[in-house]
PDB file of all heavy atoms in Angstrom:
ATOM      1  N   TYR A 306      34.887-109.955 110.297  1.00  0.00           N
ATOM      2  CA  TYR A 306      35.435-109.213 109.158  1.00  0.00           C
ATOM      3  C   TYR A 306      34.349-108.832 108.082  1.00  0.00           C
ATOM      4  O   TYR A 306      34.403-107.705 107.592  1.00  0.00           O
ATOM      5  CB  TYR A 306      36.577-110.004 108.487  1.00  0.00           C
ATOM      6  CG  TYR A 306      37.807-110.091 109.438  1.00  0.00           C
ATOM      7  CD1 TYR A 306      38.059-111.289 110.004  1.00  0.00           C
ATOM      8  CD2 TYR A 306      38.650-109.024 109.452  1.00  0.00           C
ATOM      9  CE1 TYR A 306      39.199-111.315 110.875  1.00  0.00           C
ATOM     10  CE2 TYR A 306      39.767-109.055 110.197  1.00  0.00           C
ATOM     11  CZ  TYR A 306      40.081-110.228 110.915  1.00  0.00           C
ATOM     12  OH  TYR A 306      41.264-110.263 111.625  1.00  0.00           O
ATOM     13  N   ARG A 307      33.406-109.604 107.858  1.00  0.00           N
ATOM     14  CA  ARG A 307      32.360-109.291 106.822  1.00  0.00           C
ATOM     15  C   ARG A 307      31.266-110.341 107.068  1.00  0.00           C
ATOM     16  O   ARG A 307      31.310-111.298 107.716  1.00  0.00           O
ATOM     17  CB  ARG A 307      32.906-109.413 105.539  1.00  0.00           C
ATOM     18  CG  ARG A 307      33.407-110.828 105.027  1.00  0.00           C
ATOM     19  CD  ARG A 307      34.070-110.711 103.618  1.00  0.00           C
ATOM     20  NE  ARG A 307      34.473-112.099 103.211  1.00  0.00           N
ATOM     21  CZ  ARG A 307      33.784-112.843 102.495  1.00  0.00           C
ATOM     22  NH1 ARG A 307      32.620-112.544 102.017  1.00  0.00           N
ATOM     23  NH2 ARG A 307      34.285-114.074 102.138  1.00  0.00           N
ATOM     24  N   LYS A 308      30.106-109.887 106.529  1.00  0.00           N
ATOM     25  CA  LYS A 308      28.860-110.739 106.595  1.00  0.00           C
ATOM     26  C   LYS A 308      28.347-110.817 105.160  1.00  0.00           C
ATOM     27  O   LYS A 308      28.439-109.896 104.317  1.00  0.00           O
ATOM     28  CB  LYS A 308      27.803-110.059 107.450  1.00  0.00           C
ATOM     29  CG  LYS A 308      28.358-109.807 108.917  1.00  0.00           C
ATOM     30  CD  LYS A 308      27.184-109.416 109.817  1.00  0.00           C
ATOM     31  CE  LYS A 308      26.570-108.053 109.452  1.00  0.00           C
ATOM     32  NZ  LYS A 308      25.557-107.669 110.363  1.00  0.00           N
ATOM     33  N   LYS A 309      27.554-111.961 104.964  1.00  0.00           N
ATOM     34  CA  LYS A 309      27.026-112.088 103.579  1.00  0.00           C
ATOM     35  C   LYS A 309      25.739-112.904 103.679  1.00  0.00           C
ATOM     36  O   LYS A 309      25.725-114.034 104.276  1.00  0.00           O
ATOM     37  CB  LYS A 309      27.980-112.858 102.674  1.00  0.00           C
ATOM     38  CG  LYS A 309      27.466-112.988 101.214  1.00  0.00           C
ATOM     39  CD  LYS A 309      28.480-113.482 100.213  1.00  0.00           C
ATOM     40  CE  LYS A 309      27.887-113.694  98.937  1.00  0.00           C
ATOM     41  NZ  LYS A 309      27.361-112.426  98.272  1.00  0.00           N
ATOM     42  N   ALA A 310      24.624-112.358 103.166  1.00  0.00           N
ATOM     43  CA  ALA A 310      23.388-113.107 103.071  1.00  0.00           C
ATOM     44  C   ALA A 310      23.471-113.913 101.754  1.00  0.00           C
ATOM     45  O   ALA A 310      24.066-113.516 100.722  1.00  0.00           O
ATOM     46  CB  ALA A 310      22.280-112.153 103.002  1.00  0.00           C
ATOM     47  N   ASN A 311      22.823-115.133 101.764  1.00  0.00           N
ATOM     48  CA  ASN A 311      22.886-116.096 100.599  1.00  0.00           C
ATOM     49  C   ASN A 311      24.259-116.345 100.131  1.00  0.00           C
ATOM     50  O   ASN A 311      24.590-116.007  99.024  1.00  0.00           O
ATOM     51  CB  ASN A 311      22.106-115.438  99.475  1.00  0.00           C
ATOM     52  CG  ASN A 311      20.632-115.230  99.826  1.00  0.00           C
ATOM     53  OD1 ASN A 311      19.997-116.268 100.399  1.00  0.00           O
ATOM     54  ND2 ASN A 311      20.058-114.082  99.657  1.00  0.00           N
ATOM     55  N   PRO A 312      25.124-116.819 101.036  1.00  0.00           N
ATOM     56  CA  PRO A 312      26.541-117.206 100.661  1.00  0.00           C
ATOM     57  C   PRO A 312      26.573-118.386  99.691  1.00  0.00           C
ATOM     58  O   PRO A 312      25.751-119.264  99.771  1.00  0.00           O
ATOM     59  CB  PRO A 312      27.252-117.480 101.993  1.00  0.00           C
ATOM     60  CG  PRO A 312      26.134-118.020 102.840  1.00  0.00           C
ATOM     61  CD  PRO A 312      24.894-117.195 102.523  1.00  0.00           C
ATOM     62  N   THR A 313      27.625-118.366  98.953  1.00  0.00           N
ATOM     63  CA  THR A 313      27.996-119.596  98.167  1.00  0.00           C
ATOM     64  C   THR A 313      29.066-120.414  98.985  1.00  0.00           C
ATOM     65  O   THR A 313      29.565-119.853 100.025  1.00  0.00           O
ATOM     66  CB  THR A 313      28.601-119.299  96.828  1.00  0.00           C
ATOM     67  OG1 THR A 313      29.733-118.447  97.038  1.00  0.00           O
ATOM     68  CG2 THR A 313      27.597-118.468  95.990  1.00  0.00           C
ATOM     69  N   TRP A 314      29.333-121.577  98.579  1.00  0.00           N
ATOM     70  CA  TRP A 314      30.310-122.424  99.397  1.00  0.00           C
ATOM     71  C   TRP A 314      31.253-122.976  98.377  1.00  0.00           C
ATOM     72  O   TRP A 314      30.844-123.623  97.351  1.00  0.00           O
ATOM     73  CB  TRP A 314      29.578-123.530 100.128  1.00  0.00           C
ATOM     74  CG  TRP A 314      30.494-124.472 100.747  1.00  0.00           C
ATOM     75  CD1 TRP A 314      31.590-124.152 101.722  1.00  0.00           C
ATOM     76  CD2 TRP A 314      30.558-125.902 100.767  1.00  0.00           C
ATOM     77  NE1 TRP A 314      32.154-125.282 102.165  1.00  0.00           N
ATOM     78  CE2 TRP A 314      31.610-126.404 101.511  1.00  0.00           C
ATOM     79  CE3 TRP A 314      29.785-126.824 100.008  1.00  0.00           C
ATOM     80  CZ2 TRP A 314      31.817-127.687 101.703  1.00  0.00           C
ATOM     81  CZ3 TRP A 314      30.057-128.239 100.124  1.00  0.00           C
ATOM     82  CH2 TRP A 314      31.065-128.621 100.996  1.00  0.00           C
TER      83      TRP A 314
END
Side-chain angles (χ1 to χ4, degrees):
Y306 287 102
R307 62 189 180 94
K308 304 190 296 182
K309 184 172 177 58
N311 297 310
T313 58
W314 176 53

